[in-house]
Amino acid sequence: MSIIRSRRAFLETCGFTAATMAGTALLSPAWAQASLSSAPDLIVINAKVTTMDTAMPSAQAFAVKGDRFVAVGSTTDIKSLAGPRTRVYDAKGMFITPGFVDTHNHGRGEGLLYGVLAGNPYVVEYVTIQSIIDKLKARAAKTPPGTWVQATFYDDTKIKDNRQLTRLDLDKASTEHPIMVNLRGGHAAVFNSKAFEMAGITKNTPDVYGGTYEKDSRGELSGRATDNASRALSKIGKHETFSPAEQERRGVAGFEFISKKFAEYGITSVCYDAGRDEDSLPQMQLARARGNLHTRINYESTETLVDGMIKNGIRTGFGDEWLRFGGAREHTQDGGLSSRTMSMTRPFIGVTPPYKGNLTEPQEVNNAWCERVHRAGIRLNNHCNGEPAIERSLIAYERALKLFPVKDARPKFTHCSLPSASQMRRIKAIGGEPSEFSTYLYYNSDKFKYYGADLAEHMMPYKDMLNMGINVTTGSDFYPGPFDPRMAIQGMVTRKGFNGETWGPSQKITVDQAIKASTINGAYHTFEEGIKGSITPGKLADFVVFAEDMHTIDPEKIKDVKLVQTVVGGVVRYQA
């Protein structure tokens, strides 16, 4: 038997035949024949491979040709496929998984490069109020009076002073500039006196629908405004502007920066929620054209772009393996979990006066939006944390699907943090896709006390959802949460946070279940399970190499496992 025939015979034992590949729409017969008749470009041997492929859950080795896996199996069999030009990577017992998929992310890197960072974007770190004031004061000195000075990544429970940032604190940074410090979790911000003055808001101003102007113990404005109130405040005044060329330069540089960061943490695909960043799509395309997009993007469009998609007949799925239209950006129905503004069926613990969070949009408005978007073939995507908001989303989704039935629509429930058992059954019935917070279980364990142990037992209910057969996935929501998949996996496996507190232990899942939620489930989430998410012949060669096996180490040390290499489409995008 010739070596070509031997190679072909082995590939056929892996189920990688011309016949089987012809049934995969994204693989051509010509590509299949070429992969069978020539040596792979790369083989990886002597590894502990968790494939996330039920046909072969574990392996020692695999081969890559072009940007695809072409064979998976034992080291002996895969070594036999090598040709004279095949690169050989000896993993020496290291642990390999498919590339990670972050199903909800706002990672526009421009703010990381050029903005004022009130806290650490990537890890748990306590800061002082004075450090925030100093950074704002320095930025104000370079900013014309009357123009906004802003900061991000303020985590109000990670302050060494052991108190909240206030309006009066921010007045120390400037009384000539409106100042806004965004809470890391979004859905709230702290403003200085100048901002309230410019907006004409006093302690007697009534709250707006879906938002609040909070008061201190003396009945004065504390500086904190939530959801729709915060958004209304931020619209007044002048914001820093740049020439079109400079705006483009900063935007492209930001996406190139964050793309490298994603690769550094093993993320090979991201559902990018564009929010209100109307210029983000062309900037991503420019980054890609420059060869500096290292992470595959499922683009969730702004409201304006959704209008354009509807007008021009662009549907979810249009694009290619690097940049593809997903659904709409998250259509917000309530507040945030870490900001403690999400909709609740009972008041938050320790908050006076009693407060059940914010519902940010009437049901009839959500109904109309969902019907319009769904009829256009654009995937539904509601932001819904608490049970009341999840209920509003279900009502709107069920209505849209009844009025215009679509098979396998996979409507998205962004966050879906605290669903009831009956709501989870309804999510399963319509094939809904929850994108659960991933790193929150570790990073935001200091927030669960505001909800209580009984509710935390059902918060981010990975185990319950998996037991029901729901395709639950992991979304960091970055900026709000760090995006390190290792931190996410550790939190899902242990339910223990950085502060040693354990919340919702009944929802613990296994390492394999956590990896599955972060890989193949994420691929299914974007209708791409046929081309990525597992180490399977014919799929895109996206994988991550770790120094240690997450199955065998102390679960409380998973976040510290060294990430050695990230490969996207057969190309090394990060090397430690």
Side-chain angles (χ1 to χ4, degrees):
M1 179 181 291
S2 71
I3 190 166
I4 295 296
R5 289 188 51 132
S6 176
R7 183 182 297 115
R8 180 186 296 271
F10 172 66
L11 290 171
E12 287 176 350
T13 69
C14 297
F16 192 61
T17 63
T20 59
M21 288 185 295
T24 304
L26 292 153
L27 302 179
S28 69
W31 182 91
Q33 186 58 42
S35 68
L36 291 169
S37 60
S38 59
D41 300 315
L42 167 71
I43 62 172
V44 176
I45 60 174
N46 297 321
K48 296 178 181 178
V49 185
T50 289
T51 67
M52 287 298 128
D53 183 338
T54 56
M56 186 183 290
S58 61
Q60 296 175 324
F62 54 83
V64 175
K65 178 74 174 177
D67 64 352
R68 307 269 174 168
F69 297 113
V70 293
V72 181
S74 70
T75 290
T76 300
D77 286 335
I78 296 298
K79 283 177 72 174
S80 73
L81 304 178
R85 296 185 180 180
T86 300
R87 304 189 317 275
V88 179
Y89 182 84
D90 187 344
K92 298 180 180 178
M94 290 191 289
F95 179 58
I96 298 180
T97 71
F100 292 101
V101 182
D102 189 327
T103 57
H104 184 63
N105 195 295
H106 301 273
R108 187 183 177 96
E110 185 176 347
L112 295 166
L113 285 179
Y114 307 111
V116 177
L117 308 183
N120 191 315
Y122 311 112
V123 298
V124 175
E125 181 181 350
Y126 278 70
V127 302
T128 65
I129 287 175
Q130 189 60 50
S131 72
I132 298 172
I133 293 171
D134 291 344
K135 290 180 179 181
L136 292 167
K137 187 180 291 186
R139 180 55 60 93
K142 304 175 184 178
T143 305
T147 301
W148 278 100
V149 173
Q150 301 181 63
T152 54
F153 294 102
Y154 163 55
D155 190 321
D156 65 345
T157 59
K158 296 179 178 64
I159 298 294
K160 292 180 180 179
D161 307 70
N162 199 31
R163 68 172 179 84
Q164 300 284 301
L165 184 69
T166 71
R167 170 177 60 90
L168 299 180
D169 291 322
L170 299 186
D171 289 348
K172 295 176 184 177
S174 177
T175 57
E176 296 183 342
H177 302 79
I179 295 179
M180 175 171 57
V181 177
N182 291 284
L183 266 74
R184 171 150 203 177
H187 300 275
V190 184
F191 298 85
N192 69 342
S193 297
K194 183 68 172 179
F196 286 106
E197 175 192 322
M198 291 173 64
I201 294 168
T202 71
K203 64 182 180 181
N204 298 317
T205 302
D207 291 335
V208 300
Y209 178 89
T212 59
Y213 303 110
E214 297 191 358
K215 312 295 193 301
D216 61 22
S217 59
R218 298 171 296 127
E220 301 291 336
L221 291 167
S222 70
R224 191 176 191 263
T226 67
D227 289 302
N228 290 348
S230 174
R231 282 190 279 272
L233 254 172
S234 66
K235 291 178 181 178
I236 58 98
K238 296 182 295 182
H239 290 263
E240 190 175 16
T241 58
F242 304 95
S243 69
E246 177 62 9
Q247 186 172 328
E248 179 181 284
R249 186 195 69 78
R250 288 165 61 101
V252 173
F255 281 119
E256 292 177 343
F257 174 81
I258 195 66
S259 184
K260 288 181 181 178
K261 276 291 181 185
F262 289 151
E264 181 182 335
Y265 285 86
I267 297 171
T268 58
S269 294
V270 166
C271 290
Y272 176 78
D273 188 307
R276 296 171 179 81
D277 299 329
E278 301 295 344
D279 54 356
S280 55
L281 183 59
Q283 289 170 359
M284 281 182 181
Q285 293 177 77
L286 285 169
R288 180 186 179 183
R290 287 156 53 117
N292 292 327
L293 195 62
H294 303 293
T295 308
R296 305 183 192 280
I297 304 293
N298 189 269
Y299 190 84
E300 296 178 336
S301 302
T302 65
E303 296 288 352
T304 302
L305 188 51
V306 165
D307 292 341
M309 291 173 69
I310 293 173
K311 181 178 179 180
N312 293 284
I314 297 173
R315 303 163 71 90
T316 288
F318 182 80
D320 63 16
E321 293 144 2
W322 279 100
L323 190 54
R324 192 185 305 278
F325 280 101
R329 60 157 294 208
E330 57 180 325
H331 193 68
T332 304
Q333 298 306 300
D334 70 346
L337 188 157
S338 70
S339 304
R340 286 91 69 200
T341 69
M342 64 183 260
S343 58
M344 297 276 283
T345 57
R346 74 181 193 200
F348 286 91
I349 295 171
V351 177
T352 303
Y355 174 61
K356 294 183 180 180
N358 300 322
L359 283 163
T360 55
E361 184 177 75
Q363 182 72 62
E364 59 271 19
V365 176
N366 190 24
N367 288 350
W369 181 86
C370 287
E371 181 182 349
R372 174 173 173 265
V373 170
H374 174 65
R375 283 184 180 273
I378 300 171
R379 184 197 198 177
L380 294 172
N381 179 10
N382 266 4
H383 163 114
C384 48
N385 269 299
E387 188 175 336
I390 296 169
E391 184 64 24
R392 288 192 176 189
S393 300
L394 277 164
I395 289 170
Y397 287 5
E398 290 165 345
R399 176 182 179 274
L401 287 164
K402 183 177 180 180
L403 290 172
F404 191 72
V406 172
K407 185 179 180 181
D408 199 24
R410 304 185 196 180
K412 182 167 185 170
F413 293 79
T414 292
H415 309 320
C416 199
S417 298
L418 195 55
S420 67
S422 62
Q423 286 176 335
M424 284 189 279
R425 287 191 288 271
R426 288 161 66 192
I427 290 169
K428 170 64 176 175
I430 63 172
E433 285 287 307
S435 173
E436 297 291 295
F437 286 116
S438 58
T439 56
Y440 267 36
L441 290 163
Y442 177 85
Y443 180 85
N444 275 322
S445 56
D446 51 0
K447 310 293 194 305
F448 283 88
K449 63 185 179 183
Y450 295 100
Y451 296 90
D454 58 334
L455 292 188
E457 207 63 57
H458 306 285
M459 188 84 77
M460 288 166 267
Y462 277 98
K463 186 171 184 179
D464 286 348
M465 287 185 173
L466 290 172
N467 287 344
M468 286 189 181
I470 295 172
N471 186 69
V472 63
T473 67
T474 54
S476 69
D477 199 27
F478 187 80
Y479 289 3
F483 50 72
D484 188 344
R486 294 165 298 183
M487 184 188 292
I489 291 168
Q490 179 171 315
M492 289 186 278
V493 171
T494 67
R495 298 290 292 201
K496 181 182 285 189
F498 75 93
N499 58 1
E501 295 176 357
T502 298
W503 296 94
S506 69
Q507 297 299 328
K508 290 180 183 180
I509 59 176
T510 68
V511 169
D512 268 352
Q513 287 173 324
I515 294 173
K516 183 180 180 182
S518 308
T519 56
I520 187 64
N521 285 12
Y524 183 90
H525 186 86
T526 57
F527 300 88
E528 295 175 294
E529 69 274 19
I531 62 168
K532 65 185 181 184
S534 65
I535 297 176
T536 300
K539 289 191 177 183
L540 293 163
D542 300 348
F543 62 92
V544 187
V545 181
F546 295 97
E548 297 176 89
D549 187 345
M550 294 182 188
H551 298 94
T552 58
I553 65 169
D554 181 347
E556 294 185 21
K557 294 182 179 179
I558 290 174
K559 71 177 183 63
D560 300 317
V561 172
K562 181 180 178 181
L563 196 156
V564 177
Q565 192 177 86
T566 300
V567 177
V568 186
V571 177
V572 176
R573 305 291 174 169
Y574 170 76
Q575 177 72 52

